[in-house]
Amino acid sequence: MQPHSVKLGVTPCMRLECKFWLEDEGWNATIESLGLTVHAPSFEAAKSDMELTLGKHIESLLGERVAFDRGHAA
């Protein structure tokens, strides 16, 4: 019997310090160590937006790494 592989996406659990604060026009959030900042009308939206922003940041870093690895393989 041939081995069968399955590709699945995984969601990593990472603990990063994220600061949230309320201002007159809504909530702000930042992960200072990565230079990421978001603004949203509610705390829940700010938290969700920060999770998306962090995910996109990680994906961009992985994309840069794949491009770097391919460049070195050539």
Side-chain angles (χ1 to χ4, degrees), residues 20-29 38-47:
F20 293 87
W21 67 96
L22 180 61
E23 291 187 351
D24 293 336
E25 65 279 355
W27 282 86
N28 293 305
V38 298
H39 176 78
S42 68
F43 174 78
E44 292 80 10
K47 183 178 181 291

Tab-separated table of all heavy atoms in Angstrom, residues 20-29 38-47:
chain	number	residue	atom	x	y	z
A	20	PHE	N	-3.092	47.247	23.923
A	20	PHE	CA	-4.348	47.811	23.445
A	20	PHE	C	-4.661	49.051	24.279
A	20	PHE	O	-4.461	49.044	25.483
A	20	PHE	CB	-5.493	46.810	23.620
A	20	PHE	CG	-5.377	45.590	22.757
A	20	PHE	CD1	-4.658	44.484	23.179
A	20	PHE	CD2	-6.005	45.535	21.523
A	20	PHE	CE1	-4.561	43.348	22.393
A	20	PHE	CE2	-5.910	44.410	20.720
A	20	PHE	CZ	-5.189	43.316	21.162
A	21	TRP	N	-5.161	50.094	23.631
A	21	TRP	CA	-5.595	51.262	24.375
A	21	TRP	C	-6.730	51.958	23.634
A	21	TRP	O	-6.821	51.923	22.424
A	21	TRP	CB	-4.437	52.218	24.657
A	21	TRP	CG	-3.854	52.890	23.455
A	21	TRP	CD1	-4.157	54.141	22.980
A	21	TRP	CD2	-2.859	52.383	22.576
A	21	TRP	NE1	-3.421	54.424	21.862
A	21	TRP	CE2	-2.608	53.352	21.585
A	21	TRP	CE3	-2.151	51.170	22.518
A	21	TRP	CZ2	-1.692	53.165	20.564
A	21	TRP	CZ3	-1.250	50.995	21.494
A	21	TRP	CH2	-1.019	51.983	20.544
A	22	LEU	N	-7.588	52.574	24.431
A	22	LEU	CA	-8.766	53.259	23.918
A	22	LEU	C	-8.467	54.739	23.747
A	22	LEU	O	-7.883	55.371	24.639
A	22	LEU	CB	-9.939	53.075	24.888
A	22	LEU	CG	-11.258	53.726	24.520
A	22	LEU	CD1	-11.798	53.171	23.201
A	22	LEU	CD2	-12.271	53.532	25.644
A	23	GLU	N	-8.847	55.262	22.604
A	23	GLU	CA	-8.783	56.703	22.348
A	23	GLU	C	-10.175	57.163	21.942
A	23	GLU	O	-11.077	56.341	21.779
A	23	GLU	CB	-7.757	57.010	21.252
A	23	GLU	CG	-6.332	56.760	21.707
A	23	GLU	CD	-5.292	57.225	20.707
A	23	GLU	OE1	-5.666	57.595	19.573
A	23	GLU	OE2	-4.114	57.202	21.056
A	24	ASP	N	-10.364	58.452	21.748
A	24	ASP	CA	-11.680	59.006	21.433
A	24	ASP	C	-12.319	58.346	20.207
A	24	ASP	O	-13.514	58.105	20.182
A	24	ASP	CB	-11.599	60.515	21.213
A	24	ASP	CG	-11.253	61.259	22.490
A	24	ASP	OD1	-11.515	60.717	23.579
A	24	ASP	OD2	-10.718	62.373	22.388
A	25	GLU	N	-11.537	58.058	19.189
A	25	GLU	CA	-12.079	57.528	17.937
A	25	GLU	C	-12.030	56.007	17.834
A	25	GLU	O	-12.337	55.456	16.790
A	25	GLU	CB	-11.379	58.167	16.733
A	25	GLU	CG	-9.910	57.852	16.603
A	25	GLU	CD	-8.980	58.683	17.474
A	25	GLU	OE1	-9.427	59.620	18.152
A	25	GLU	OE2	-7.777	58.379	17.488
A	26	GLY	N	-11.644	55.290	18.886
A	26	GLY	CA	-11.650	53.837	18.849
A	26	GLY	C	-10.453	53.232	19.552
A	26	GLY	O	-9.746	53.894	20.304
A	27	TRP	N	-10.241	51.951	19.274
A	27	TRP	CA	-9.172	51.187	19.908
A	27	TRP	C	-7.949	51.091	19.008
A	27	TRP	O	-8.068	50.942	17.799
A	27	TRP	CB	-9.651	49.775	20.220
A	27	TRP	CG	-10.519	49.725	21.435
A	27	TRP	CD1	-11.869	49.935	21.482
A	27	TRP	CD2	-10.107	49.466	22.767
A	27	TRP	NE1	-12.319	49.820	22.760
A	27	TRP	CE2	-11.252	49.525	23.576
A	27	TRP	CE3	-8.879	49.185	23.362
A	27	TRP	CZ2	-11.209	49.316	24.949
A	27	TRP	CZ3	-8.835	48.974	24.724
A	27	TRP	CH2	-9.987	49.041	25.503
A	28	ASN	N	-6.788	51.178	19.628
A	28	ASN	CA	-5.513	50.972	18.948
A	28	ASN	C	-4.856	49.737	19.543
A	28	ASN	O	-5.069	49.404	20.708
A	28	ASN	CB	-4.585	52.171	19.151
A	28	ASN	CG	-5.113	53.403	18.475
A	28	ASN	OD1	-5.391	53.394	17.287
A	28	ASN	ND2	-5.286	54.467	19.238
A	29	ALA	N	-4.049	49.081	18.725
A	29	ALA	CA	-3.282	47.928	19.195
A	29	ALA	C	-1.931	47.949	18.514
A	29	ALA	O	-1.808	48.377	17.356
A	29	ALA	CB	-4.005	46.630	18.869
A	38	VAL	N	-2.602	48.565	14.575
A	38	VAL	CA	-3.926	48.604	13.958
A	38	VAL	C	-4.820	49.566	14.732
A	38	VAL	O	-4.551	49.889	15.898
A	38	VAL	CB	-4.605	47.211	13.902
A	38	VAL	CG1	-3.790	46.249	13.065
A	38	VAL	CG2	-4.874	46.654	15.278
A	39	HIS	N	-5.897	50.002	14.085
A	39	HIS	CA	-6.904	50.857	14.701
A	39	HIS	C	-8.264	50.307	14.308
A	39	HIS	O	-8.477	49.929	13.155
A	39	HIS	CB	-6.762	52.296	14.205
A	39	HIS	CG	-7.835	53.183	14.733
A	39	HIS	ND1	-7.821	53.673	16.007
A	39	HIS	CD2	-8.979	53.631	14.162
A	39	HIS	CE1	-8.911	54.399	16.193
A	39	HIS	NE2	-9.628	54.384	15.084
A	40	ALA	N	-9.190	50.249	15.269
A	40	ALA	CA	-10.521	49.707	14.997
A	40	ALA	C	-11.546	50.367	15.925
A	40	ALA	O	-11.184	50.936	16.963
A	40	ALA	CB	-10.518	48.196	15.191
A	41	PRO	N	-12.826	50.267	15.577
A	41	PRO	CA	-13.856	50.918	16.383
A	41	PRO	C	-14.157	50.233	17.715
A	41	PRO	O	-14.686	50.859	18.626
A	41	PRO	CB	-15.094	50.884	15.473
A	41	PRO	CG	-14.860	49.771	14.524
A	41	PRO	CD	-13.368	49.700	14.343
A	42	SER	N	-13.820	48.938	17.856
A	42	SER	CA	-14.082	48.224	19.110
A	42	SER	C	-12.857	47.398	19.500
A	42	SER	O	-11.990	47.121	18.664
A	42	SER	CB	-15.289	47.293	18.959
A	42	SER	OG	-14.987	46.222	18.077
A	43	PHE	N	-12.824	46.995	20.768
A	43	PHE	CA	-11.721	46.155	21.229
A	43	PHE	C	-11.697	44.834	20.460
A	43	PHE	O	-10.636	44.385	20.029
A	43	PHE	CB	-11.841	45.879	22.734
A	43	PHE	CG	-10.817	44.903	23.231
A	43	PHE	CD1	-9.510	45.315	23.462
A	43	PHE	CD2	-11.147	43.570	23.434
A	43	PHE	CE1	-8.550	44.413	23.903
A	43	PHE	CE2	-10.194	42.665	23.873
A	43	PHE	CZ	-8.896	43.091	24.111
A	44	GLU	N	-12.873	44.220	20.291
A	44	GLU	CA	-12.951	42.940	19.590
A	44	GLU	C	-12.428	43.059	18.161
A	44	GLU	O	-11.706	42.185	17.668
A	44	GLU	CB	-14.397	42.417	19.588
A	44	GLU	CG	-14.907	42.004	20.953
A	44	GLU	CD	-15.364	43.182	21.818
A	44	GLU	OE1	-15.465	44.326	21.309
A	44	GLU	OE2	-15.596	42.964	23.014
A	45	ALA	N	-12.787	44.155	17.485
A	45	ALA	CA	-12.315	44.378	16.116
A	45	ALA	C	-10.814	44.620	16.096
A	45	ALA	O	-10.109	44.130	15.203
A	45	ALA	CB	-13.059	45.550	15.479
A	46	ALA	N	-10.298	45.355	17.076
A	46	ALA	CA	-8.854	45.607	17.144
A	46	ALA	C	-8.098	44.300	17.355
A	46	ALA	O	-7.060	44.058	16.727
A	46	ALA	CB	-8.534	46.600	18.257
A	47	LYS	N	-8.608	43.432	18.236
A	47	LYS	CA	-7.963	42.142	18.487
A	47	LYS	C	-7.987	41.279	17.227
A	47	LYS	O	-6.975	40.700	16.833
A	47	LYS	CB	-8.659	41.420	19.644
A	47	LYS	CG	-8.010	40.110	20.024
A	47	LYS	CD	-8.725	39.493	21.213
A	47	LYS	CE	-8.096	38.192	21.646
A	47	LYS	NZ	-8.267	37.115	20.695
